Amino acid sequence: MRAWSVVRPGPVQDGSLRPVTKPVPVPGDDELLVRVRACGVCRTDLHVAEGDLPVHRVGVTPGHEVVGVVAGAGAAVTDFATGERVGVAWLRRTCGSCAYCVRGAENLCASSRYTGWDADGGYAAYTTVPAAFAHRLPGEVDDVTLAPLLCAGIIGFRALRRAALPPRGRLGLYGFGGSAHLCAQVALAEGATVHVMTRGAAARRLALELGAASAQDAYAMPPEPLDSAILFAPAGELVPVALRALDRGGTLAIAGIHLGDTPPLHYEAELFYEKQLRSVTSNTREDAREFLALAARHGVRATTHAYPMARAAQALADLAAGRFDGAAVLVDQP
């Protein structure tokens, strides 16, 4: 089958992601074989391709926002039918028995494995997923619109909950790409006032179109103190900027899996008055189920830019350069 492979981690413009031919994967006993129809392009894919994240699988095929149909199944799978539409997300497998898994925090499982990092993902014609980690999808939403919800949407939702936003609170979003523009829609639907700080003019326009109260440069102060903030941009230098924008008792959640170095923090200006700084680590399947139900109820929709699967490297390069608002989605073409 046609697929993409991270042949040597490095800048995407230098050819770290290349087209290859791989065998169609064979599902394990508890796995589904999924024919990929669409795959969102996530910033985590960029971190895998460029080496910001350590190599877990040599020559890995990225992609973990997969919408596809079941094309086969292992002998132990009984609850999915061939032709059924499913979603494949970032969290691929956990041990199910450690203290974290038992208490409902499977995202912290030390044995967790991830699609497009530990196992080949959706930048290909086919991928596999453990049936217990496949997501059933609403039938009325098209493949391209759904794909970004499967990571950008889910992790944005978890970040929103980690940010401890009070009812009808004031939320600041730093960076406004695939995840933030979905998170904003949930926050707005729940009654929040949203302020966006981001570098791109197109992203600022999209924020205002979606209902943000303001949109300004990433380093600008919002027009009012924030109850909560989420840092989506992988820029550690924005951490003190966001902390200074918080009101007393406010919380900053860092949503990304990778972050540049954070400068020293000034205690009185950036942490005093019981401000909180929290990280976000992956998500649980319950996060995914809750978010997908909220997205359907509130009509959360991704702003998407479709690329043919054959242009996956270009889509990643465009993401790195900030050439589009919203999210890119690869569409497989037979």
Side-chain angles (χ1 to χ4, degrees):
M1 68 174 183
R2 295 166 289 115
W4 288 85
S5 174
V6 179
V7 293
R8 185 177 62 255
V12 288
Q13 63 266 27
D14 293 345
S16 60
L17 185 71
R18 295 183 187 174
V20 297
T21 299
K22 290 187 174 185
V24 173
V26 176
D29 282 351
D30 66 344
E31 294 180 346
L32 303 174
L33 175 66
V34 177
R35 177 71 169 90
V36 177
R37 300 206 305 208
C39 183
V41 177
C42 180
R43 186 163 293 275
T44 301
D45 301 334
L46 186 63
H47 293 318
V48 169
E50 297 200 321
D52 297 325
L53 298 179
V55 174
H56 279 195
R57 179 182 177 89
V58 174
V60 71
T61 294
H64 55 274
E65 296 178 339
V66 180
V67 177
V69 294
V70 176
V77 178
T78 60
D79 53 348
F80 284 90
T82 298
E84 185 174 354
R85 189 167 70 152
V86 294
V88 181
W90 175 238
L91 185 65
R92 177 182 177 84
R93 192 183 290 276
T94 59
C95 74
S97 58
C98 69
Y100 303 110
C101 288
V102 169
R103 76 181 196 211
E106 64 181 4
N107 60 309
L108 301 179
C109 175
S111 300
S112 56
R113 296 294 180 265
Y114 300 94
T115 308
W117 192 20
D118 295 293
D120 285 342
Y123 287 25
Y126 291 90
T127 190
T128 60
V129 61
F133 288 80
H135 298 283
R136 288 186 163 88
L137 301 174
E140 65 276 8
V141 184
D142 67 271
D143 298 338
V144 171
T145 301
L146 271 174
L149 303 189
L150 289 163
C151 179
I154 296 167
I155 202 66
F157 172 73
R158 183 170 184 88
L160 180 61
R161 295 297 184 250
R162 290 284 291 162
L165 181 67
R168 309 193 71 82
R170 302 158 296 176
L171 174 68
L173 302 179
Y174 288 80
F176 202 71
S179 191
H181 91 291
L182 295 169
C183 174
Q185 293 177 57
V186 175
L188 289 164
E190 293 181 338
T193 298
V194 175
H195 298 287
V196 170
M197 281 63 66
T198 191
R199 66 180 182 177
R204 291 196 292 268
R205 286 194 297 271
L206 176 61
L208 294 173
E209 290 168 5
L210 291 173
S214 73
Q216 46 269 312
D217 182 74
Y219 292 87
M221 288 294 287
E224 60 181 336
L226 305 172
D227 297 303
S228 303
I230 305 172
L231 177 58
F232 287 100
E237 62 269 21
L238 286 174
V239 170
V241 174
L243 286 170
R244 285 195 296 272
L246 290 176
D247 205 350
R248 298 181 181 208
T251 300
L252 170 62
I254 299 175
I257 192 172
H258 170 77
L259 188 71
D261 289 343
T262 302
L265 299 178
H266 187 276
Y267 179 65
E268 185 173 355
E270 293 150 8
L271 284 173
F272 197 49
Y273 297 116
E274 299 193 353
K275 296 180 182 181
Q276 298 185 73
L277 178 61
R278 292 179 167 181
S279 65
V280 178
T281 300
S282 184
N283 61 271
T284 67
R285 283 171 287 177
E286 182 57 32
D287 291 330
R289 288 188 285 266
E290 187 177 350
F291 168 71
L292 290 171
L294 273 175
R297 183 157 68 248
H298 294 308
V300 174
R301 294 290 183 270
T303 296
T304 57
H305 304 271
Y307 289 72
M309 186 69 73
R311 294 185 62 216
Q314 184 62 56
L316 267 189
D318 289 349
L319 172 63
R323 295 191 185 105
F324 54 76
D325 56 6
V329 179
L330 304 177
V331 181
D332 196 44
Q333 298 171 322

